[in-house]
Amino acid sequence: MAWRRGLLVTALLVTSVLVELTLLTRLGLPGATPPLVLVTVAGIALTMGPGAGSVSGFAAGLILDLVPPADGTVGLTALTLAAVGYVCGVVLDPHDRPVLPTLAVVGTAAGAAVLLRAAVAGLVGDTRVLWDDVPSLVLSSVIYAVVLAPFVVPVVGWLARRLDAVPAGA
């Protein structure tokens, strides 16, 4: 059972990274790039709990840190998404996820991720952090995450439930 969940999480993360890096970055939307990977990690955490959320967040962040056009400190996105995955998994019960609290958690996580990433980047001496741009990046990231969440989180939950419903011998 654990290996099937691992395959599901891997497929979700690889797909979200590919879509975010190849499609969403090229849309030319104002502000931040829509955080599909973050919303996917939040969906995994809301469905499978904080352990799976933090591990998947770390793995997704490491992929984003290493896949071209990667620039910057390796591990920064991994740290941020691991924290997001853990907190999202702790905040809401995986079996009781009303729509509005789920949207609020995902939106708050997106804004907090931008702030955490900027703060840690500033602490490690990254000179590319432009604090004047952070408020608009937080706002756009929250808006995009709230728009993506009703599409991504239910699909992640449905896939996880379907995986759990498959008999062990099948």
Side-chain angles (χ1 to χ4, degrees):
M1 183 71 102
W3 66 270
R4 285 192 280 180
R5 277 191 176 230
L7 285 176
L8 173 65
V9 168
T10 301
L12 289 169
L13 294 179
V14 168
T15 303
S16 65
V17 166
L18 287 174
V19 170
E20 184 174 315
L21 291 179
T22 60
L23 178 67
L24 297 179
T25 55
R26 299 180 192 274
L27 289 179
L29 296 171
T33 299
L36 180 62
V37 175
L38 182 138
V39 174
T40 304
V41 167
I44 291 168
L46 290 170
T47 302
M48 300 179 191
S54 59
V55 169
S56 65
F58 184 79
L62 203 55
I63 292 169
L64 285 174
D65 283 337
L66 295 175
V67 170
D71 59 346
T73 307
V74 174
L76 190 57
T77 307
L79 171 71
T80 303
L81 289 180
V84 164
Y86 180 77
V87 171
C88 286
V90 168
V91 170
L92 286 179
D93 181 25
H95 303 293
D96 182 35
R97 291 177 307 167
V99 174
L100 290 179
T102 300
L103 293 178
V105 166
V106 172
T108 304
V114 172
L115 288 174
L116 178 63
R117 192 174 196 297
V120 174
L123 284 174
V124 297
D126 192 348
T127 59
R128 293 173 299 143
V129 176
L130 303 174
W131 288 102
D132 294 338
D133 294 341
V134 170
S136 65
L137 292 174
V138 168
L139 179 63
S140 62
S141 184
V142 167
I143 291 170
Y144 296 146
V146 169
V147 168
L148 287 171
F151 302 103
V152 175
V153 174
V155 169
V156 171
W158 179 78
L159 288 170
R161 284 190 304 278
R162 204 141 146 93
L163 183 76
D164 291 340
V166 174

